[in-house]
Amino acid sequence: MCGIIGYSGPLEARKILLDGLSQLEYRGYDSAGIAFFDTGSEVHLIKRTGKVAMLREACASMKVSSHCGIGHTRWATHGGVSDANAHPHRAGRVTLIHNGIIENYHSLTKEFNLDERLVSQTDSEVAAWVLDHFYSGDPKAAIKSLVERVEGSYGFCIMFDDRPGEIYGVRSVSPLVAAYTRSGALIASDLTALIPYTRKYFVVPENHIVKLTGYKISLYDLEGAVVSPEIMEVNWNMDSAMKNGFPHFMLKEIHEQPEALKNTIVPRIAKGLPDFADDKIPDHLFAQCSKIHMIACGTAMHAGMVAKALMEPVLRIPVIVSIASEFRYGEPLIDEETLVIIISQSGETIDTLAALRLAKSYGSKTLAIVNVKGSTIARESDFVLYTHAGPEIAVASTKAYSVQLAALYMIICRMALVRGKFTREQAASFIMELLDAIPAMESMISRKEEEKNLVTHLIQQHDTFFMGRGLDYAFSLEGALKLKEISYIHAEAYAAGELKHGTIALIAPEVPVIAIATQEPVFSKMISNVREVKARGAFVILLTKEHAQVDEALADVHIRIPDMDDRFTVFPIAVILQLIAYYASIGKNLDVDQPRNLAKSVTVE
Ligand code: M6R
């Protein structure tokens, strides 16, 4: 949450900062601001509530030139959405931007007598004043003192009035990446802002100070000793962070799923079998565990729910899925024999990270499924399986979900093989079926008009219910989340058999029910549940396989996916559910890519 960018170099800084903020806007979009040194070394500050476009407009008439500055796009935590609360914050000789939460801001305010000085309600401004208090010409010493006093999570980028051309960064928990490029030195809260300039970067280590100037980047520990950064390379390209002719990132990312799946699966197949040798994931990790505990948030947690439904019948060991924010404050029943699988697109979600740390403290082995290379979760886990979705910009997760599923399916297959639950032939055929899910997704994407047409009814309603049994229930959870977050229509997912234990009271004429019925063993049970809601007047959108035998009078809309093995229907079904949410959002004329109150990476509690 909150996007951060800093630049020092030969190019016009204002343009680089504004372009960077546009790239980072998905991290928060209630206000934005930049601060920069002009060529006479004076600091200019401009900030606006609203989107980056408003800030860009406000900057358009500025004539001053600059080669060094910092920029911020905000997702409000402390203090409402106002110009004063927008970043950067000025405090004496300090100009500062912040991503995270300073937990002891109240006691710092008292200790440093800041009440009279504060012009905003933010914890970040408090940190800026504390830094100014310690500053007497030595930036690194002042930053060290600040770090010793603040509690919480932070990624700070800082300019000092008497150090034109220099930017300093420091972080704890909240992410910061930096790069020295042919265009100058850059620092940002995430990679998408760097890829227009470079693919090589480093993650600023926690409790280290990074210094950017126009001609180099230096990294120091808190004692001031020089540290060599660990340079990493990402294979994302500029195209992957652009809309490329699509009206929204979400639609583009839905279309990218087949390719992302191939990139995640194919390099991990050797002789027809799943192979994690290149990922350095040893078979004993899968052979020796007595149970599996998956931990994640939101969409990533829903991917875990699908995997659980598939794993237990195959592996015959307990598989538990936990919401990270609950797990981290619990007393989990895990031990050295538990394989903990952490799922996170960003690799920075704070609750998921805390859950990972807790799991490690219990001695469990941890395997992370992560999309962003070098992210904190990836670095702190014992093993990592990177998904290859490329950057996901839309707040609503689509391609990250399908590649998380693909990675989990590969893990299930390898585990089943290693534990003697699959023969080599069964494992090879499982992988073939997984690959066959890719054209099934493509076919659903090519038929997207079906979803476009059906939302006319949906968007006139206040509530929507999703239902399914077994794997289909796990898919419904994600369908409901997607619809809620971008169309603001209340949606709930139910195990179909559970509906009549209370919720069926809400089924009235015209209430939409999206019924997923792709699982053969429970198909007839599902159809009975569909009859029950239809009998109460529901508007039924039924999703089945191509050749399912259904009384057509049961469904107001019937979408058929290609015939396929039950275990893989999630891939085409996910596309349908994503498209329903997408077109519902469009139908209501909402901001698809940046829905209200949300941000892409949840790096605060
Ligand atoms: O980056 P993560 O996968 O850890 O993010 C977890 C959730 O915040 C995320 O999946 C969220 O639920 C989706 N963006 C919703 O579409």
Side-chain angles (χ1 to χ4, degrees), residues 112-142:
F112 291 87
N113 287 320
L114 299 178
D115 274 325
E116 300 292 301
R117 290 176 159 185
L118 296 174
V119 293
S120 76
Q121 289 109 38
T122 65
D123 52 337
S124 314
E125 192 194 355
V126 172
W129 280 110
V130 173
L131 182 59
D132 182 63
H133 169 89
F134 288 119
Y135 185 58
S136 53
D138 181 347
K140 294 202 285 295

PDB file of all heavy atoms in Angstrom, residues 112-142:
ATOM      1  N   PHE A 112       8.677  14.352  21.524  1.00  0.00           N
ATOM      2  CA  PHE A 112       9.402  15.384  20.771  1.00  0.00           C
ATOM      3  C   PHE A 112       8.600  16.693  20.669  1.00  0.00           C
ATOM      4  O   PHE A 112       8.935  17.560  19.865  1.00  0.00           O
ATOM      5  CB  PHE A 112       9.776  14.852  19.376  1.00  0.00           C
ATOM      6  CG  PHE A 112      10.823  13.766  19.427  1.00  0.00           C
ATOM      7  CD1 PHE A 112      10.460  12.436  19.601  1.00  0.00           C
ATOM      8  CD2 PHE A 112      12.167  14.075  19.345  1.00  0.00           C
ATOM      9  CE1 PHE A 112      11.419  11.432  19.678  1.00  0.00           C
ATOM     10  CE2 PHE A 112      13.141  13.082  19.421  1.00  0.00           C
ATOM     11  CZ  PHE A 112      12.763  11.757  19.587  1.00  0.00           C
ATOM     12  N   ASN A 113       7.564  16.802  21.484  1.00  0.00           N
ATOM     13  CA  ASN A 113       6.745  18.025  21.527  1.00  0.00           C
ATOM     14  C   ASN A 113       6.299  18.484  20.146  1.00  0.00           C
ATOM     15  O   ASN A 113       6.551  19.621  19.743  1.00  0.00           O
ATOM     16  CB  ASN A 113       7.544  19.177  22.177  1.00  0.00           C
ATOM     17  CG  ASN A 113       7.657  18.955  23.649  1.00  0.00           C
ATOM     18  OD1 ASN A 113       6.689  18.518  24.271  1.00  0.00           O
ATOM     19  ND2 ASN A 113       8.839  19.206  24.183  1.00  0.00           N
ATOM     20  N   LEU A 114       5.648  17.589  19.446  1.00  0.00           N
ATOM     21  CA  LEU A 114       5.340  17.896  18.045  1.00  0.00           C
ATOM     22  C   LEU A 114       3.930  18.454  17.840  1.00  0.00           C
ATOM     23  O   LEU A 114       3.612  18.897  16.733  1.00  0.00           O
ATOM     24  CB  LEU A 114       5.523  16.636  17.184  1.00  0.00           C
ATOM     25  CG  LEU A 114       6.940  16.057  17.187  1.00  0.00           C
ATOM     26  CD1 LEU A 114       6.990  14.781  16.344  1.00  0.00           C
ATOM     27  CD2 LEU A 114       7.937  17.072  16.641  1.00  0.00           C
ATOM     28  N   ASP A 115       3.091  18.421  18.883  1.00  0.00           N
ATOM     29  CA  ASP A 115       1.686  18.792  18.700  1.00  0.00           C
ATOM     30  C   ASP A 115       1.507  20.109  17.943  1.00  0.00           C
ATOM     31  O   ASP A 115       0.668  20.209  17.053  1.00  0.00           O
ATOM     32  CB  ASP A 115       0.983  18.875  20.058  1.00  0.00           C
ATOM     33  CG  ASP A 115       0.483  17.498  20.481  1.00  0.00           C
ATOM     34  OD1 ASP A 115       0.073  16.755  19.572  1.00  0.00           O
ATOM     35  OD2 ASP A 115       0.548  17.177  21.672  1.00  0.00           O
ATOM     36  N   GLU A 116       2.301  21.099  18.301  1.00  0.00           N
ATOM     37  CA  GLU A 116       2.143  22.429  17.698  1.00  0.00           C
ATOM     38  C   GLU A 116       2.641  22.476  16.254  1.00  0.00           C
ATOM     39  O   GLU A 116       2.259  23.342  15.482  1.00  0.00           O
ATOM     40  CB  GLU A 116       2.959  23.466  18.498  1.00  0.00           C
ATOM     41  CG  GLU A 116       2.530  23.577  19.951  1.00  0.00           C
ATOM     42  CD  GLU A 116       1.150  24.180  20.064  1.00  0.00           C
ATOM     43  OE1 GLU A 116       0.961  25.306  19.587  1.00  0.00           O
ATOM     44  OE2 GLU A 116       0.240  23.513  20.593  1.00  0.00           O
ATOM     45  N   ARG A 117       3.530  21.551  15.935  1.00  0.00           N
ATOM     46  CA  ARG A 117       4.185  21.639  14.628  1.00  0.00           C
ATOM     47  C   ARG A 117       3.454  20.885  13.519  1.00  0.00           C
ATOM     48  O   ARG A 117       3.596  21.212  12.348  1.00  0.00           O
ATOM     49  CB  ARG A 117       5.585  21.041  14.726  1.00  0.00           C
ATOM     50  CG  ARG A 117       6.513  21.896  15.548  1.00  0.00           C
ATOM     51  CD  ARG A 117       7.818  21.181  15.674  1.00  0.00           C
ATOM     52  NE  ARG A 117       8.865  22.116  16.003  1.00  0.00           N
ATOM     53  CZ  ARG A 117      10.135  21.803  16.090  1.00  0.00           C
ATOM     54  NH1 ARG A 117      10.523  20.574  15.847  1.00  0.00           N
ATOM     55  NH2 ARG A 117      11.022  22.707  16.386  1.00  0.00           N
ATOM     56  N   LEU A 118       2.724  19.854  13.924  1.00  0.00           N
ATOM     57  CA  LEU A 118       2.151  18.971  12.907  1.00  0.00           C
ATOM     58  C   LEU A 118       1.078  19.690  12.089  1.00  0.00           C
ATOM     59  O   LEU A 118       0.204  20.338  12.652  1.00  0.00           O
ATOM     60  CB  LEU A 118       1.557  17.722  13.562  1.00  0.00           C
ATOM     61  CG  LEU A 118       2.565  16.809  14.277  1.00  0.00           C
ATOM     62  CD1 LEU A 118       1.847  15.684  15.003  1.00  0.00           C
ATOM     63  CD2 LEU A 118       3.580  16.235  13.291  1.00  0.00           C
ATOM     64  N   VAL A 119       1.163  19.563  10.796  1.00  0.00           N
ATOM     65  CA  VAL A 119       0.129  20.161   9.939  1.00  0.00           C
ATOM     66  C   VAL A 119      -0.765  19.077   9.329  1.00  0.00           C
ATOM     67  O   VAL A 119      -1.723  19.371   8.647  1.00  0.00           O
ATOM     68  CB  VAL A 119       0.755  21.027   8.821  1.00  0.00           C
ATOM     69  CG1 VAL A 119       1.439  22.245   9.391  1.00  0.00           C
ATOM     70  CG2 VAL A 119       1.706  20.230   7.945  1.00  0.00           C
ATOM     71  N   SER A 120      -0.412  17.825   9.557  1.00  0.00           N
ATOM     72  CA  SER A 120      -1.248  16.735   9.042  1.00  0.00           C
ATOM     73  C   SER A 120      -1.641  15.832  10.202  1.00  0.00           C
ATOM     74  O   SER A 120      -1.162  16.011  11.325  1.00  0.00           O
ATOM     75  CB  SER A 120      -0.473  15.913   8.011  1.00  0.00           C
ATOM     76  OG  SER A 120       0.457  15.060   8.664  1.00  0.00           O
ATOM     77  N   GLN A 121      -2.473  14.830   9.921  1.00  0.00           N
ATOM     78  CA  GLN A 121      -2.823  13.856  10.967  1.00  0.00           C
ATOM     79  C   GLN A 121      -2.056  12.555  10.777  1.00  0.00           C
ATOM     80  O   GLN A 121      -2.446  11.514  11.279  1.00  0.00           O
ATOM     81  CB  GLN A 121      -4.318  13.533  10.910  1.00  0.00           C
ATOM     82  CG  GLN A 121      -5.227  14.625  11.360  1.00  0.00           C
ATOM     83  CD  GLN A 121      -5.971  15.230  10.187  1.00  0.00           C
ATOM     84  OE1 GLN A 121      -6.373  14.525   9.275  1.00  0.00           O
ATOM     85  NE2 GLN A 121      -6.140  16.533  10.229  1.00  0.00           N
ATOM     86  N   THR A 122      -0.981  12.606  10.024  1.00  0.00           N
ATOM     87  CA  THR A 122      -0.325  11.347   9.670  1.00  0.00           C
ATOM     88  C   THR A 122       0.792  10.970  10.639  1.00  0.00           C
ATOM     89  O   THR A 122       1.460  11.829  11.212  1.00  0.00           O
ATOM     90  CB  THR A 122       0.298  11.437   8.263  1.00  0.00           C
ATOM     91  OG1 THR A 122       1.337  12.416   8.290  1.00  0.00           O
ATOM     92  CG2 THR A 122      -0.723  11.816   7.223  1.00  0.00           C
ATOM     93  N   ASP A 123       0.993   9.652  10.747  1.00  0.00           N
ATOM     94  CA  ASP A 123       2.140   9.119  11.486  1.00  0.00           C
ATOM     95  C   ASP A 123       3.439   9.462  10.741  1.00  0.00           C
ATOM     96  O   ASP A 123       4.498   9.629  11.346  1.00  0.00           O
ATOM     97  CB  ASP A 123       1.992   7.598  11.648  1.00  0.00           C
ATOM     98  CG  ASP A 123       1.724   6.887  10.320  1.00  0.00           C
ATOM     99  OD1 ASP A 123       1.235   7.550   9.375  1.00  0.00           O
ATOM    100  OD2 ASP A 123       1.994   5.688  10.213  1.00  0.00           O
ATOM    101  N   SER A 124       3.326   9.603   9.427  1.00  0.00           N
ATOM    102  CA  SER A 124       4.524   9.841   8.604  1.00  0.00           C
ATOM    103  C   SER A 124       5.145  11.200   8.908  1.00  0.00           C
ATOM    104  O   SER A 124       6.370  11.342   8.962  1.00  0.00           O
ATOM    105  CB  SER A 124       4.155   9.780   7.112  1.00  0.00           C
ATOM    106  OG  SER A 124       3.351   8.668   6.861  1.00  0.00           O
ATOM    107  N   GLU A 125       4.293  12.201   9.111  1.00  0.00           N
ATOM    108  CA  GLU A 125       4.842  13.528   9.411  1.00  0.00           C
ATOM    109  C   GLU A 125       5.578  13.506  10.757  1.00  0.00           C
ATOM    110  O   GLU A 125       6.605  14.187  10.927  1.00  0.00           O
ATOM    111  CB  GLU A 125       3.735  14.594   9.420  1.00  0.00           C
ATOM    112  CG  GLU A 125       4.320  15.998   9.431  1.00  0.00           C
ATOM    113  CD  GLU A 125       3.310  17.082   9.789  1.00  0.00           C
ATOM    114  OE1 GLU A 125       2.118  16.790   9.952  1.00  0.00           O
ATOM    115  OE2 GLU A 125       3.755  18.242   9.924  1.00  0.00           O
ATOM    116  N   VAL A 126       5.061  12.710  11.691  1.00  0.00           N
ATOM    117  CA  VAL A 126       5.746  12.582  12.986  1.00  0.00           C
ATOM    118  C   VAL A 126       7.170  12.058  12.750  1.00  0.00           C
ATOM    119  O   VAL A 126       8.152  12.584  13.284  1.00  0.00           O
ATOM    120  CB  VAL A 126       4.947  11.641  13.929  1.00  0.00           C
ATOM    121  CG1 VAL A 126       5.734  11.340  15.193  1.00  0.00           C
ATOM    122  CG2 VAL A 126       3.599  12.255  14.255  1.00  0.00           C
ATOM    123  N   ALA A 127       7.271  11.024  11.896  1.00  0.00           N
ATOM    124  CA  ALA A 127       8.603  10.455  11.615  1.00  0.00           C
ATOM    125  C   ALA A 127       9.510  11.518  10.987  1.00  0.00           C
ATOM    126  O   ALA A 127      10.702  11.600  11.302  1.00  0.00           O
ATOM    127  CB  ALA A 127       8.462   9.257  10.681  1.00  0.00           C
ATOM    128  N   ALA A 128       8.938  12.351  10.116  1.00  0.00           N
ATOM    129  CA  ALA A 128       9.743  13.393   9.458  1.00  0.00           C
ATOM    130  C   ALA A 128      10.306  14.367  10.496  1.00  0.00           C
ATOM    131  O   ALA A 128      11.479  14.750  10.443  1.00  0.00           O
ATOM    132  CB  ALA A 128       8.894  14.122   8.423  1.00  0.00           C
ATOM    133  N   TRP A 129       9.467  14.746  11.478  1.00  0.00           N
ATOM    134  CA  TRP A 129       9.943  15.687  12.503  1.00  0.00           C
ATOM    135  C   TRP A 129      10.988  15.048  13.413  1.00  0.00           C
ATOM    136  O   TRP A 129      11.959  15.690  13.831  1.00  0.00           O
ATOM    137  CB  TRP A 129       8.767  16.220  13.332  1.00  0.00           C
ATOM    138  CG  TRP A 129       8.017  17.319  12.632  1.00  0.00           C
ATOM    139  CD1 TRP A 129       6.750  17.242  12.120  1.00  0.00           C
ATOM    140  CD2 TRP A 129       8.485  18.644  12.352  1.00  0.00           C
ATOM    141  NE1 TRP A 129       6.404  18.435  11.535  1.00  0.00           N
ATOM    142  CE2 TRP A 129       7.456  19.321  11.666  1.00  0.00           C
ATOM    143  CE3 TRP A 129       9.673  19.315  12.610  1.00  0.00           C
ATOM    144  CZ2 TRP A 129       7.565  20.637  11.235  1.00  0.00           C
ATOM    145  CZ3 TRP A 129       9.799  20.636  12.184  1.00  0.00           C
ATOM    146  CH2 TRP A 129       8.753  21.278  11.502  1.00  0.00           C
ATOM    147  N   VAL A 130      10.783  13.773  13.719  1.00  0.00           N
ATOM    148  CA  VAL A 130      11.780  13.087  14.572  1.00  0.00           C
ATOM    149  C   VAL A 130      13.115  13.049  13.829  1.00  0.00           C
ATOM    150  O   VAL A 130      14.185  13.305  14.402  1.00  0.00           O
ATOM    151  CB  VAL A 130      11.296  11.660  14.939  1.00  0.00           C
ATOM    152  CG1 VAL A 130      12.392  10.900  15.675  1.00  0.00           C
ATOM    153  CG2 VAL A 130      10.037  11.731  15.788  1.00  0.00           C
ATOM    154  N   LEU A 131      13.056  12.789  12.534  1.00  0.00           N
ATOM    155  CA  LEU A 131      14.296  12.755  11.741  1.00  0.00           C
ATOM    156  C   LEU A 131      14.953  14.139  11.734  1.00  0.00           C
ATOM    157  O   LEU A 131      16.175  14.257  11.905  1.00  0.00           O
ATOM    158  CB  LEU A 131      13.968  12.289  10.311  1.00  0.00           C
ATOM    159  CG  LEU A 131      15.140  12.160   9.361  1.00  0.00           C
ATOM    160  CD1 LEU A 131      16.183  11.165   9.877  1.00  0.00           C
ATOM    161  CD2 LEU A 131      14.672  11.706   7.968  1.00  0.00           C
ATOM    162  N   ASP A 132      14.135  15.164  11.564  1.00  0.00           N
ATOM    163  CA  ASP A 132      14.698  16.531  11.564  1.00  0.00           C
ATOM    164  C   ASP A 132      15.366  16.833  12.905  1.00  0.00           C
ATOM    165  O   ASP A 132      16.421  17.470  12.964  1.00  0.00           O
ATOM    166  CB  ASP A 132      13.590  17.541  11.267  1.00  0.00           C
ATOM    167  CG  ASP A 132      14.153  18.955  11.213  1.00  0.00           C
ATOM    168  OD1 ASP A 132      14.996  19.210  10.329  1.00  0.00           O
ATOM    169  OD2 ASP A 132      13.781  19.783  12.062  1.00  0.00           O
ATOM    170  N   HIS A 133      14.744  16.328  13.960  1.00  0.00           N
ATOM    171  CA  HIS A 133      15.316  16.549  15.301  1.00  0.00           C
ATOM    172  C   HIS A 133      16.746  15.997  15.377  1.00  0.00           C
ATOM    173  O   HIS A 133      17.636  16.600  15.967  1.00  0.00           O
ATOM    174  CB  HIS A 133      14.416  15.869  16.340  1.00  0.00           C
ATOM    175  CG  HIS A 133      15.019  15.795  17.705  1.00  0.00           C
ATOM    176  ND1 HIS A 133      14.852  16.789  18.631  1.00  0.00           N
ATOM    177  CD2 HIS A 133      15.811  14.851  18.290  1.00  0.00           C
ATOM    178  CE1 HIS A 133      15.503  16.468  19.735  1.00  0.00           C
ATOM    179  NE2 HIS A 133      16.096  15.294  19.550  1.00  0.00           N
ATOM    180  N   PHE A 134      16.944  14.824  14.776  1.00  0.00           N
ATOM    181  CA  PHE A 134      18.261  14.186  14.886  1.00  0.00           C
ATOM    182  C   PHE A 134      19.255  14.684  13.830  1.00  0.00           C
ATOM    183  O   PHE A 134      20.429  14.341  13.885  1.00  0.00           O
ATOM    184  CB  PHE A 134      18.111  12.656  14.737  1.00  0.00           C
ATOM    185  CG  PHE A 134      17.479  11.999  15.926  1.00  0.00           C
ATOM    186  CD1 PHE A 134      16.282  11.298  15.812  1.00  0.00           C
ATOM    187  CD2 PHE A 134      18.074  12.086  17.185  1.00  0.00           C
ATOM    188  CE1 PHE A 134      15.704  10.690  16.915  1.00  0.00           C
ATOM    189  CE2 PHE A 134      17.491  11.481  18.292  1.00  0.00           C
ATOM    190  CZ  PHE A 134      16.300  10.785  18.159  1.00  0.00           C
ATOM    191  N   TYR A 135      18.772  15.448  12.878  1.00  0.00           N
ATOM    192  CA  TYR A 135      19.648  15.804  11.754  1.00  0.00           C
ATOM    193  C   TYR A 135      20.532  17.000  12.082  1.00  0.00           C
ATOM    194  O   TYR A 135      20.049  18.084  12.410  1.00  0.00           O
ATOM    195  CB  TYR A 135      18.800  16.119  10.507  1.00  0.00           C
ATOM    196  CG  TYR A 135      19.662  16.378   9.291  1.00  0.00           C
ATOM    197  CD1 TYR A 135      20.562  15.416   8.841  1.00  0.00           C
ATOM    198  CD2 TYR A 135      19.594  17.591   8.599  1.00  0.00           C
ATOM    199  CE1 TYR A 135      21.366  15.642   7.731  1.00  0.00           C
ATOM    200  CE2 TYR A 135      20.387  17.823   7.486  1.00  0.00           C
ATOM    201  CZ  TYR A 135      21.274  16.839   7.066  1.00  0.00           C
ATOM    202  OH  TYR A 135      22.075  17.065   5.978  1.00  0.00           O
ATOM    203  N   SER A 136      21.847  16.748  11.965  1.00  0.00           N
ATOM    204  CA  SER A 136      22.752  17.882  12.126  1.00  0.00           C
ATOM    205  C   SER A 136      23.843  17.791  11.063  1.00  0.00           C
ATOM    206  O   SER A 136      25.024  17.906  11.359  1.00  0.00           O
ATOM    207  CB  SER A 136      23.345  17.899  13.529  1.00  0.00           C
ATOM    208  OG  SER A 136      23.929  16.629  13.776  1.00  0.00           O
ATOM    209  N   GLY A 137      23.421  17.477   9.845  1.00  0.00           N
ATOM    210  CA  GLY A 137      24.365  17.478   8.725  1.00  0.00           C
ATOM    211  C   GLY A 137      24.850  16.093   8.319  1.00  0.00           C
ATOM    212  O   GLY A 137      25.496  15.950   7.287  1.00  0.00           O
ATOM    213  N   ASP A 138      24.524  15.059   9.130  1.00  0.00           N
ATOM    214  CA  ASP A 138      24.963  13.699   8.780  1.00  0.00           C
ATOM    215  C   ASP A 138      23.714  12.836   8.549  1.00  0.00           C
ATOM    216  O   ASP A 138      23.115  12.321   9.500  1.00  0.00           O
ATOM    217  CB  ASP A 138      25.821  13.134   9.924  1.00  0.00           C
ATOM    218  CG  ASP A 138      26.320  11.728   9.603  1.00  0.00           C
ATOM    219  OD1 ASP A 138      25.818  11.114   8.636  1.00  0.00           O
ATOM    220  OD2 ASP A 138      27.208  11.240  10.329  1.00  0.00           O
ATOM    221  N   PRO A 139      23.313  12.676   7.284  1.00  0.00           N
ATOM    222  CA  PRO A 139      22.048  11.960   7.021  1.00  0.00           C
ATOM    223  C   PRO A 139      22.030  10.557   7.600  1.00  0.00           C
ATOM    224  O   PRO A 139      21.039  10.136   8.200  1.00  0.00           O
ATOM    225  CB  PRO A 139      21.986  11.909   5.486  1.00  0.00           C
ATOM    226  CG  PRO A 139      22.827  13.042   5.023  1.00  0.00           C
ATOM    227  CD  PRO A 139      23.918  13.192   6.042  1.00  0.00           C
ATOM    228  N   LYS A 140      23.145   9.827   7.463  1.00  0.00           N
ATOM    229  CA  LYS A 140      23.116   8.419   7.894  1.00  0.00           C
ATOM    230  C   LYS A 140      22.973   8.324   9.421  1.00  0.00           C
ATOM    231  O   LYS A 140      22.244   7.466   9.927  1.00  0.00           O
ATOM    232  CB  LYS A 140      24.390   7.699   7.425  1.00  0.00           C
ATOM    233  CG  LYS A 140      24.458   7.583   5.892  1.00  0.00           C
ATOM    234  CD  LYS A 140      25.369   6.479   5.427  1.00  0.00           C
ATOM    235  CE  LYS A 140      26.842   6.800   5.566  1.00  0.00           C
ATOM    236  NZ  LYS A 140      27.327   7.898   4.723  1.00  0.00           N
ATOM    237  N   ALA A 141      23.631   9.209  10.126  1.00  0.00           N
ATOM    238  CA  ALA A 141      23.525   9.172  11.596  1.00  0.00           C
ATOM    239  C   ALA A 141      22.095   9.501  12.024  1.00  0.00           C
ATOM    240  O   ALA A 141      21.533   8.865  12.937  1.00  0.00           O
ATOM    241  CB  ALA A 141      24.507  10.171  12.206  1.00  0.00           C
ATOM    242  N   ALA A 142      21.491  10.486  11.349  1.00  0.00           N
ATOM    243  CA  ALA A 142      20.115  10.866  11.719  1.00  0.00           C
ATOM    244  C   ALA A 142      19.145   9.730  11.411  1.00  0.00           C
ATOM    245  O   ALA A 142      18.244   9.429  12.217  1.00  0.00           O
ATOM    246  CB  ALA A 142      19.721  12.133  10.951  1.00  0.00           C
TER     247      ALA A 142
END
